[in-house]
Amino acid sequence: METTAQRHLMDRTTSDLYFHAERTQPVPDSLGQDLLLRVLDEVDYGLLVIDAQGHIRHANHLARHEMSTGRVIVTHARSLLGRNTELTTQIQSALEHALRGQRRLLQLKQGEHELSLAFVPLSHPLEFDAPTVLVLLSRKNACDNLALRMFARSQNLSPSEEAVLLALCRGASIPEIAADHKVAESTVRSQIKALREKTGCGSIRALMQKVHSLPPMVPALRVISAMQHNAMEFAQP
């Protein structure tokens, strides 16, 4: 018969084996650079990482696209610049503050185009690492969010109801939606009522709040345009 001492010895041996197995388990590798770049490209906001020298270390797909259009911001010699001298001065000032650990928000406008930029320090000024800044670009159009299309499908919206939802997201009024869709205003109001009932929202405002809280997913079919740089050229080892 097994004695108490034998049981204690077996329990201790089993515990030691489990402890040894846990310590000998291979530690999973950290996320690779290629995978991290892919992750950033799937976020529906333009993102740039800028180092202490003002050089762009990385720009995701939407940031590269925005700079390639030259509407408000551009890139030259691996630096983030504005479309004109005044915008460039504002960007450089915000970047300098962010490198010192201060967050900044810019509202830039060039002609009919507007763009917001948030400058976020990625390191503390008292840390030993070289300071780095994350620049977030405002989303151009919430209606382009892939999650919005997926949301419409999950709520069993009809094609016409989905079209009305997209129009509301763009800020269109009921008369404007009716004119665009060539239907009566009463039809649009009925569709909006159906939208509220299917989504469980008591008002259009509540519906818009729900839509704007959806995860920022980049559409699968991205806009393709000529770009001076690609993601790997921005990335540094």
Side-chain angles (χ1 to χ4, degrees):
M1 179 180 293
E2 185 183 64
T3 65
T4 302
Q6 288 174 325
R7 284 199 300 272
H8 282 309
L9 179 60
M10 291 179 64
D11 291 342
R12 181 175 179 181
T13 301
T14 303
S15 177
D16 289 343
L17 287 174
Y18 278 123
F19 178 74
H20 178 72
E22 289 179 357
R23 298 204 44 186
T24 56
Q25 286 293 325
V27 179
D29 295 334
S30 59
L31 290 176
Q33 177 175 282
D34 291 347
L35 181 56
L36 286 175
L37 298 186
R38 288 178 179 270
V39 170
L40 294 180
D41 271 345
E42 293 301 328
V43 178
D44 194 24
Y45 288 94
L47 301 172
L48 301 100
V49 178
I50 302 179
D51 62 21
Q53 288 70 46
H55 295 154
I56 299 175
R57 297 288 299 273
H58 176 69
N60 72 348
H61 171 81
L62 291 181
R64 298 196 308 274
H65 172 67
E66 182 61 40
M67 291 186 293
S68 72
T69 65
R71 292 175 294 200
V72 181
I73 58 175
V74 296
T75 177
H76 177 70
R78 301 176 64 81
S79 297
L80 176 63
L81 306 175
R83 187 68 178 82
N84 55 44
T85 304
E86 180 182 353
L87 297 180
T88 297
T89 300
Q90 294 182 54
I91 291 173
Q92 291 178 342
S93 176
L95 179 59
E96 290 172 1
H97 281 87
L99 289 171
R100 295 196 297 267
Q102 304 172 19
R103 299 180 179 226
R104 283 292 185 270
L105 177 66
L106 291 184
Q107 302 283 341
L108 304 181
K109 184 174 183 179
Q110 173 64 25
E112 61 180 7
H113 301 294
E114 296 183 3
L115 183 68
S116 300
L117 282 74
F119 291 75
V120 182
L122 293 181
S123 56
H124 193 277
L126 298 180
E127 293 177 347
F128 294 104
D129 294 338
T132 309
V133 174
L134 171 66
V135 181
L136 299 95
L137 279 59
S138 56
R139 184 188 294 177
K140 299 304 295 181
N141 192 339
C143 299
D144 294 333
N145 186 5
L146 177 61
L148 178 56
R149 303 281 185 174
M150 300 173 67
F151 172 76
R153 302 296 190 275
S154 68
Q155 302 299 309
N156 296 317
L157 302 185
S158 68
S160 59
E161 291 167 349
E162 181 177 346
V164 170
L165 177 60
L166 292 174
L168 291 173
C169 289
R170 296 188 182 97
S173 64
I174 291 178
E176 290 171 338
I177 297 174
D180 290 341
H181 295 180
K182 296 179 174 56
V183 297
E185 292 185 19
S186 58
T187 300
V188 177
R189 295 183 188 278
S190 297
Q191 292 169 331
I192 292 176
K193 180 181 179 182
L195 283 174
R196 292 192 288 104
E197 291 176 348
K198 289 184 177 181
T199 59
C201 297
S203 65
I204 295 178
R205 175 178 295 181
L207 176 59
M208 292 299 97
Q209 289 177 339
K210 178 173 290 189
V211 166
H212 288 290
S213 67
L214 294 173
M217 299 173 62
V218 176
L221 297 178
R222 298 172 179 167
V223 177
I224 300 176
S225 61
M227 299 181 188
Q228 184 177 358
H229 302 288
N230 59 36
M232 295 309 298
E233 287 174 330
F234 275 122
Q236 298 293 325

